[in-house]
Amino acid sequence: MAITSGGPLSHLRVLDLSRVLAGPWAGQILGDLGADVIKVERPGTGDDTRAWGPPYLKDADGVDQEAAYYLGANRNKRSIAVDLSHAEGQKIIRKLAAQSDVVIENFKVGGLAKYGLDYPSLSKDHPGLIYCSITGFGQDGPSAKQAGYDFIVQGLSGLMSITGEAGGPPIKVGTAVADLTTAMYGVIGILAALSHREKTGEGQYVDMALLDTQMSWLANQNMNYLIGGESPKRIGNAHLNIVPYQDFETQDGHVIVCVGNDRQFQRFCEAIGAPELARNRSYETNALRVRHRDVLVPAIAARMRLHTTAHWLEILSHVNIPHGPINSVGEAFADPQAIHRGMRVDMDHPLGVSVPTVANPIHLSKTPVSYRRPPPLLGEHGDEILDELGIDPEDRARLKDSGAIG
């Protein structure tokens, strides 16, 4: 049923009915691990993100084609264009679901029930199906029917209240972290459900919500509130519970310093030429340094501004203090470690060009991630998939004429 790739999930087929980011990202992770992922898109326009540019991947003639946003979340998938509102289109989806192990969708609550493509409908004839729904607020509760967007959830979850400079406005994280973390937790839920099915034969429903995930992902910041009783405040790049653990301005830029214990603090003070700070009893322990950060941090900052970033990177490396620069995205890809780890993967694209993609970060010694298919063109594999369903060319032509497929 699935393409043999040698990946740990190469025995699975995933039907991806989702679009934009959270659902497609989950599907891409499963595809990278070997699953045969079939991406279902609207005829004509496809996934909304195909138009979310510039920048666009250019074809061999230099013409803009596929948006970078779309390309980033749809590797290792096959695309078929099906109109879910069309009765014949619904029949195709039901046939695909019957041959799939997992369904992923991110329609509004109840959005697929009217087409008979919700979990209760599909699981009647396929009790082993794993069905993962990704929404903004989950399948129940007072906000369940509201549309969920990453930006809105970053605000609702409390994340933006702790992101930004002290005294400045709340700031969202620079990437769609609510979408991405929900996708990753969704994959964990899917794998757990598959493990349960392996033992019992039972499929199940996986209900994922951006708000739930983003709130759980606040980790120690949530616990600071639950234990301390006060909501954490914005403190820029500083750490609420560790000092010094932030970036410092240098002569020509910034350097990040992460001092995790008292021994490191002593070495750090020696390295920056301020041994008196290490001898000051007000800074002997991390708890004391946190309480006196308003005095300690300016004293450190004054020292750090005396030299260049390159100087401090060399000095702190010599004394084994955790540190690093603040790279641009381009500088990050040029970093020797990122190059060594193969974080850029170039793939041949059907447009006749090479498309760069970002590597999957999972490294498995026996069943490694594979990069089998570049992000597909809209409907690129439609005939291939319909052949697998036993739909002959004459019926395919009829379905295209009816508008059920693209």
Side-chain angles (χ1 to χ4, degrees):
M1 181 165 60
I3 296 174
T4 301
S5 70
L9 303 184
S10 60
H11 58 300
L12 299 176
R13 171 171 283 178
V14 177
L15 183 59
D16 184 357
L17 304 180
S18 66
R19 64 273 192 215
V20 186
L21 187 54
W25 193 262
Q28 179 170 270
I29 294 171
L30 295 169
D32 286 352
L33 294 171
D36 176 23
V37 182
I38 296 176
K39 181 178 180 67
V40 177
E41 303 184 67
R42 287 189 304 270
T45 55
D47 191 313
D48 293 341
T49 61
R50 288 183 181 274
W52 286 9
Y56 293 94
L57 177 70
K58 297 181 184 299
D59 62 19
D61 296 322
V63 178
D64 287 348
Q65 296 288 349
E66 302 279 27
Y69 198 119
Y70 163 78
L71 295 170
N74 290 286
R75 176 179 59 215
N76 283 331
K77 300 179 185 181
R78 297 190 288 165
S79 172
I80 182 171
V82 180
D83 184 352
L84 301 189
S85 67
H86 196 292
E88 293 287 349
Q90 293 158 22
K91 289 180 182 179
I92 291 171
I93 299 303
R94 280 191 281 272
K95 286 183 179 180
L96 286 171
Q99 297 184 9
S100 298
D101 301 281
V102 178
V103 169
I104 301 173
E105 62 92 7
N106 61 354
F107 284 73
K108 291 181 181 179
V109 172
L112 289 178
K114 59 186 176 183
Y115 303 137
L117 302 177
D118 56 330
Y119 175 66
S121 300
L122 295 181
S123 62
K124 284 179 182 178
D125 297 322
H126 189 354
L129 182 66
I130 310 301
Y131 191 109
C132 178
S133 292
I134 298 176
T135 57
F137 303 99
Q139 297 297 307
D140 48 34
S143 300
K145 293 187 177 181
Q146 293 182 22
Y149 292 87
D150 178 275
F151 190 7
I152 293 171
V153 169
Q154 287 198 37
L156 280 169
S157 65
L159 177 62
M160 288 178 62
S161 75
I162 58 172
T163 306
E165 293 295 332
I171 300 293
K172 74 178 182 69
V173 177
T175 191
V177 290
D179 280 334
L180 298 173
T181 53
T182 302
M184 290 187 284
Y185 273 101
V187 169
I188 294 169
I190 289 168
L191 295 177
L194 287 165
S195 178
H196 174 76
R197 189 183 73 175
E198 184 177 333
K199 298 173 185 175
T200 67
E202 296 177 332
Q204 62 181 296
Y205 187 68
V206 182
D207 173 10
M208 298 299 307
L210 271 64
L211 181 62
D212 299 352
T213 303
Q214 187 57 75
M215 289 190 68
S216 71
W217 190 64
L218 291 188
N220 63 296
Q221 295 282 32
N222 275 340
M223 291 304 296
N224 286 335
Y225 164 71
L226 292 174
I227 298 299
E230 293 185 11
S231 292
K233 302 286 194 300
R234 289 186 296 282
I235 54 174
N237 291 329
H239 196 293
L240 195 66
N241 304 110
I242 310 173
V243 173
Y245 198 105
Q246 62 184 81
D247 68 308
F248 288 98
E249 187 179 357
T250 67
Q251 272 188 358
D252 59 355
H254 293 81
V255 63
I256 296 169
V257 175
C258 300
V259 174
N261 59 55
D262 299 336
R263 295 186 304 278
Q264 286 182 353
F265 180 67
Q266 293 171 5
R267 296 202 309 274
F268 173 69
C269 292
E270 293 285 345
I272 66 172
E276 71 279 3
L277 296 177
R279 294 192 295 265
N280 190 321
R281 290 192 174 183
S282 295
Y283 312 138
E284 280 184 337
T285 67
N286 180 69
L288 288 170
R289 292 192 293 275
V290 170
R291 292 190 180 99
H292 297 104
R293 74 164 73 226
D294 291 346
V295 179
L296 174 59
V297 168
I300 295 172
R303 291 282 182 173
M304 301 298 289
R305 283 192 292 267
L306 296 177
H307 298 285
T308 65
T309 297
H311 169 86
W312 289 123
L313 293 178
E314 180 180 357
I315 292 296
L316 296 176
S317 180
H318 181 70
V319 296
N320 199 27
I321 297 296
H323 66 284
I326 299 179
N327 283 336
S328 67
V329 174
E331 288 168 337
F333 273 102
D335 185 277
Q337 183 64 19
I339 294 172
H340 176 80
R341 297 289 284 182
M343 287 309 300
R344 170 174 171 156
V345 176
D346 293 292
M347 306 180 74
D348 292 331
H349 194 275
L351 289 172
V353 296
S354 176
V355 55
T357 67
V358 184
N360 187 299
I362 301 171
H363 292 260
L364 297 168
S365 64
K366 300 294 185 183
T367 53
V369 162
S370 60
Y371 304 96
R372 307 176 309 284
R373 298 180 183 275
L377 299 172
L378 175 60
E380 179 183 347
H381 306 96
D383 287 342
E384 175 184 309
I385 294 167
L386 293 173
D387 276 343
E388 294 170 2
L389 292 178
I391 299 175
D392 60 36
E394 185 176 334
D395 280 340
R396 290 205 297 271
R398 178 181 60 78
L399 290 169
K400 287 182 180 179
D401 287 342
S402 72
I405 62 175

